[in-house]
């Protein structure tokens, strides 16, 4: 699963990477969690833009917002089949920029958090699918998103049995293009990202609390020994 991540780079650098403007409301964040608004990149009528969606997908057909808990992740192996995801997979794919995601490994009586990102230190993009839900009573509109997951590569597998689907930059346009909608067209992207292009480092347990949101959360944590895992 992917349940927490960071996107703490300055606006100008983010716009350079994405190739389009960031929302005026964008601020760097280091401990993004479910139910919060997260930055996404989408394409409509050939135009790529950024915006925010609530993290936790609500299928458009849900009778009430509380009827289905927000689905923060979708398994890539079944995303074309599951009723909650298949329409979004065909029509509302997006990218979720990040500079690291977090996972926890149980060591004795404590859980050691790790940050996982690119070896290059660059921003990467996780595969997302979106949905628009309209409250049948109040008319409230909620644009939501789930992040796709897949089997882990060998580095991630040392900590967790799933990882987010990371879309290589050369494939961003292919993923966003609505003319591509079938498993045959998109299935090759739903695979573990190469382990040799990623790095993993232990971080402070301060990340455990969603109220903590500073760049210190991405600093290597000296009490854990990365060499024992990798």
């Amino acid at each position: 699963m992917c349940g927490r991540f960071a996107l703490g780079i300055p606006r100008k650098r983010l716009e350079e990477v994405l190739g389009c403007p960031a929302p005026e409301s964008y601020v760097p964040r280091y401990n993004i969690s479910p139910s919060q608004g997260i930055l996404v990149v989408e394409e409509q009528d050939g135009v790529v833009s950024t915006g925010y969606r609530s993290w936790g997908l609500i299928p458009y057909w849900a009778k009430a917002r509380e009827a289905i808990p927000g689905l923060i992740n979708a398994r890539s192996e079944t995303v074309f089949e599951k009723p909650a995801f298949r329409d979004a997979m065909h029509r509302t794919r997006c990218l979720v920029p990040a500079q690291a995601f977090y996972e926890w490994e149980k060591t004795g009586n404590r859980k050691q958090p790790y940050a996982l990102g690119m070896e290059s230190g660059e921003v990467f993009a996780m595969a997302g699918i979106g949905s628009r839900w309209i409250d049948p009573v109040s008319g409230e509109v909620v644009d939501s998103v789930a992040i796709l997951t897949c089997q882990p590569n060998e580095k991630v597998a040392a900590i967790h049995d799933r990882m987010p689907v990371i879309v290589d930059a050369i494939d961003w346009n292919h993923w966003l293009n609505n003319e591509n909608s079938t498993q045959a067209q998109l299935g090759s992207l739903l695979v573990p990202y190469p382990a040799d292009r990623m790095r993993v480092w232990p971080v402070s347990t301060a990340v455990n609390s969603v109220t903590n949101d500073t760049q210190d959360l991405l600093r290597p944590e000296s009490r854990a020994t990365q060499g024992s895992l990798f």
Side-chain angles (χ1 to χ4, degrees):
M1 104 179 253
C2 175
R4 209 82 67 79
F5 68 96
L7 181 62
I9 67 170
R11 175 198 300 275
K12 182 178 179 181
R13 179 55 185 152
L14 178 64
E15 293 177 334
E16 290 173 349
V17 172
L18 300 181
C20 61
E24 287 298 321
S25 58
Y26 170 78
V27 292
R29 297 176 60 198
Y30 300 89
N31 200 358
I32 302 168
S33 63
S35 80
Q36 297 178 345
I38 63 175
L39 183 70
V40 300
V41 181
E42 302 180 88
E43 179 182 310
Q44 187 172 11
D45 298 326
V47 178
V48 176
S49 62
T50 58
Y52 283 94
R53 286 181 174 270
S54 176
W55 188 10
L57 187 139
I58 307 171
Y60 72 91
W61 42 258
K63 299 297 184 184
R65 189 169 186 175
E66 299 78 15
I68 296 179
L71 303 166
I72 66 169
N73 292 151
R75 294 176 69 92
S76 61
E77 296 89 342
T78 57
V79 74
F80 285 97
E81 306 161 10
K82 294 290 186 180
F85 303 127
R86 62 191 178 199
D87 186 72
M89 186 65 183
H90 287 300
R91 301 175 185 273
T92 325
R93 293 182 308 280
C94 60
L95 295 168
V96 180
Q99 69 183 109
F101 63 94
Y102 300 105
E103 290 295 356
W104 283 257
E105 185 213 20
K106 188 171 183 180
T107 55
N109 294 324
R110 70 192 292 264
K111 287 187 176 181
Q112 172 63 52
Y114 287 84
L116 304 93
M118 296 296 101
E119 184 66 43
S120 64
E122 287 292 340
V123 170
F124 57 94
M126 301 179 287
I129 52 174
S131 177
R132 168 164 286 189
W133 177 79
I134 303 176
D135 190 306
V137 177
S138 68
E140 177 191 11
V141 177
V142 180
D143 289 319
S144 60
V145 63
I147 294 172
L148 271 60
T149 66
C150 61
Q151 292 293 319
N153 61 35
E154 50 266 42
K155 281 187 177 177
V156 181
I159 304 170
H160 203 275
D161 62 358
R162 302 290 292 178
M163 69 177 291
V165 172
I166 297 174
V167 182
D168 201 295
I170 62 173
D171 295 316
W172 287 358
N173 288 336
H174 184 80
W175 175 256
L176 294 176
N177 188 341
N178 283 329
E179 292 184 4
N180 303 320
S181 62
T182 68
Q183 190 162 7
Q185 293 170 313
L186 299 168
S188 63
L189 304 183
L190 306 179
V191 296
Y193 198 76
D196 61 358
R197 296 174 62 183
M198 295 185 67
R199 61 185 287 249
V200 183
W201 66 101
V203 294
S204 168
T205 54
V207 74
N208 295 354
S209 173
V210 296
T211 61
N212 295 325
D213 191 0
T214 70
Q215 60 184 351
D216 291 343
L217 297 181
L218 287 177
R219 291 183 179 177
E221 225 290 325
S222 60
R223 288 179 297 169
T225 54
Q226 189 171 348
S228 64
L229 276 176
F230 312 104

